[in-house]
Amino acid sequence: MTLDRPSVFDALVVGGGPAGLSAATWLGRYRSSTLVVDAGRQRNLSADHSHGLLGRDPTTPQELLTDAHAGLEQYPEVMLRHGSVTAVHQSDEGLFRATVDGAAVFAKRMVLATGMRDQLPELAGFHAHYGTDVFHCPACDGYNAREQTVIVLGSGDQLPAYAAELLDWAVAVRMITGTDGESVDDEQRAVLGGQGIEVVDGVAEALVGPPGSLRGVRLAGGRLVEGDQVFFSHGHHPLNVLGHQLGCRLDHEGRIAVDDFQLTSVDGVYAAGDITAGFQLIPVAMGEGTTAGVACATSLRGDSGTSAASRPE
């Protein structure tokens, strides 16, 4: 980017995934001086392809980011920097001071698009298969499991519903219990059995077969549970440290609460993407980022872009 760094940016966007880059694009279109700080750890980078994006289905996560970066080049007001924001606070006058890799950056507005981190299973061969035939998002990748046998790993009360969702595509679903020391109770077994989901007791130990040609999951003790793809649900965690520092209201799952214009409970702070409630899908993140970017830009000229009645309290 060619913009000389201003003493105070109009907006600081934290996170360079689909939500953050969409926000930055629209801030650029409103000619707002914008700094995007991206640590480069988007949760879907391991996936072979991203799906469901109008006009480019499929694409790879890296292609999507590369094209978005190229698009930002037409907006000299926008600067993109690889790095991390480790601390932020708001002055009494409303100005934000952020620490970016040890240096102070000042901005009139902030857009938080820091996303989620998924809890990954401890499974031999996991990283080689992740994104090819091992996934965490049924909505994102379930279509590619159509007419195949799917193995589900995970724990918690939500797991039966998670496994049942995969029946929209898979010809058979098998759920392995005890992957982290927890088991499925009798009530859950009855629900799963009624849906035709096979429950296999044991601890998943390793993936068997090369990436793209998965044969199944080997249990501790040697048994092979056959399957073509694996989906897992061990939990995910909002990256909400900066929102917490700023005093943004969080929901019961730790995600940042926003109004219809992606404005948080803190004046001047917007949030978009997986860090907020709702579907965790790239097209949704792009839409939320667009809303945040436009609302943020218009607020700089005195239009709040929100109503008091809709604000999270």
Side-chain angles (χ1 to χ4, degrees):
M1 301 297 175
T2 59
L3 178 71
D4 291 333
R5 173 173 167 171
S7 58
V8 179
F9 286 95
D10 288 329
L12 170 62
V13 178
V14 187
L21 294 177
S22 294
T25 296
W26 282 93
L27 282 159
R29 291 191 62 79
Y30 275 82
R31 303 184 69 182
S32 301
S33 61
T34 303
L35 175 64
V36 183
V37 180
D38 178 35
R41 294 191 292 268
Q42 285 75 28
R43 68 189 298 200
N44 71 335
L45 285 180
S46 296
D48 287 352
H49 293 95
S50 297
H51 300 279
L53 281 77
L54 188 64
R56 55 183 311 160
D57 184 4
T59 186
T60 71
Q62 190 56 60
E63 287 171 347
L64 184 63
L65 292 176
T66 298
D67 290 348
H69 293 170
L72 284 178
E73 293 289 346
Q74 66 188 298
Y75 304 114
E77 296 84 4
V78 180
M79 300 177 65
L80 179 61
R81 170 174 175 170
H82 179 78
S84 299
V85 178
T86 54
V88 63
H89 73 271
Q90 187 177 23
S91 69
D92 293 338
E93 294 75 26
L95 195 65
F96 297 97
R97 183 186 189 278
T99 302
V100 181
D101 295 333
V105 170
F106 297 89
K108 300 174 186 176
R109 301 286 189 273
M110 289 196 68
V111 178
L112 302 178
T114 45
M116 288 272 188
R117 282 289 175 270
D118 296 295
Q119 183 177 333
L120 306 180
E122 295 182 4
L123 196 63
F126 171 80
H127 292 287
H129 285 267
Y130 190 28
T132 299
D133 41 30
V134 175
F135 310 98
H136 70 267
C137 175
C140 304
D141 298 292
Y143 181 80
N144 296 323
R146 61 195 185 279
E147 307 308 319
Q148 297 191 33
T149 297
V150 169
I151 298 171
V152 173
L153 307 176
S155 61
D157 293 339
Q158 87 292 344
L159 200 61
Y162 178 90
E165 184 178 358
L166 287 157
L167 291 170
D168 288 340
W169 305 281
V171 68
V173 176
R174 295 168 177 157
M175 194 179 78
I176 298 175
T177 68
T179 55
D180 61 357
E182 297 183 17
S183 60
V184 177
D185 62 32
D186 292 339
E187 183 177 352
Q188 289 177 323
R189 286 177 187 272
V191 171
L192 291 165
Q195 295 170 326
I197 297 173
E198 180 183 358
V199 179
V200 179
D201 290 314
V203 176
E205 185 175 73
L207 297 167
V208 178
S213 298
L214 186 71
R215 290 176 49 214
V217 175
R218 187 178 71 244
L219 305 181
R223 176 185 173 184
L224 176 65
V225 179
E226 295 183 350
D228 306 297
Q229 293 192 11
V230 170
F231 282 76
F232 66 91
S233 177
H234 289 277
H236 48 261
H237 309 285
L239 300 179
N240 58 18
V241 172
L242 298 180
H244 182 75
Q245 289 179 5
L246 289 164
C248 298
R249 187 171 73 81
L250 308 178
D251 68 13
H252 67 285
E253 293 185 346
R255 298 170 298 187
I256 298 176
V258 295
D259 68 7
D260 292 342
F261 297 89
Q262 304 301 130
L263 182 63
T264 73
S265 60
V266 177
D267 283 334
V269 180
Y270 299 78
D274 292 352
I275 192 63
T276 64
F279 290 120
Q280 295 175 20
L281 298 169
I282 292 175
V284 174
M286 288 178 167
E288 292 176 353
T290 297
T291 299
V294 173
C296 182
T298 56
S299 76
L300 289 162
R301 59 174 168 78
D303 181 355
S304 66
T306 186
S307 66
S310 69
R311 287 281 303 278
E313 298 177 354

